[in-house]
Amino acid sequence: MTVRISRSLLAEIDAACNAAAPCEACGLLFGEARAIMRWQASENVAATPETHFEIDPAALFAAIRAERAGGPTLLGYWHSHPNGDASPSVTDAAMASPDGKLWLIAARGEASLWRAVPDGERHGRFDPVPLAVTQG
């Protein structure tokens, strides 16, 4: 299943990644099953943000509570790889829960999309998801 995202949203995420470099940037993705319609930056609370990311739990819990109250659907997460590789790392796989959420990885103007699943084809945790970039 292809998921859409607008070129402008990707540009905004890329700008957040550039502003955080050399640390990893991270946050949340919102929308509907086939479209990422909104994103939110989160503080990276990892002990070593230069090489790892951890979304601020308060931001994550607030998004989950808002969704349960009828707010926007939390589709998944995004983070940057300042090293320039937009593929999930072994560390990403170890940290990901196989909950079916989307993971958008941004690196130097490139982006890839993955779904966290049990026994995924990448590192046993992620399956690739086609990402369609639309105008807007």
Side-chain angles (χ1 to χ4, degrees):
M1 166 178 72
T2 299
V3 174
R4 297 181 318 278
I5 187 169
S6 73
R7 187 171 312 283
S8 62
L9 285 183
L10 269 181
E12 291 170 8
I13 291 172
D14 191 54
C17 295
N18 290 334
C23 295
E24 292 192 18
C26 60
L28 307 171
L29 301 171
F30 301 93
E32 52 192 41
R34 296 178 189 245
I36 298 168
M37 302 166 76
R38 202 174 123 229
W39 68 282
Q40 173 184 322
S42 170
E43 181 180 354
N44 181 351
V45 298
T48 55
E50 302 82 13
T51 57
H52 295 83
F53 84 97
E54 182 179 344
I55 294 170
D56 180 0
L60 181 56
F61 293 141
I64 292 168
R65 280 193 300 274
E67 179 181 23
R68 288 180 179 161
T73 300
L74 176 64
L75 296 178
Y77 322 102
W78 67 270
H79 74 282
S80 65
H81 282 179
N83 67 2
D85 183 2
S87 301
S89 67
V90 171
T91 301
D92 291 338
M95 299 293 291
S97 174
D99 58 6
K101 294 287 191 196
L102 295 174
W103 282 55
L104 186 138
I105 302 173
R108 297 184 187 168
E110 299 291 321
S112 64
L113 192 62
W114 305 84
R115 188 171 307 280
V117 296
D119 302 318
E121 67 180 63
R122 180 66 60 98
H123 306 304
R125 181 59 71 218
F126 294 106
D127 282 345
V129 176
L131 184 63
V133 180
T134 64
Q135 293 300 321

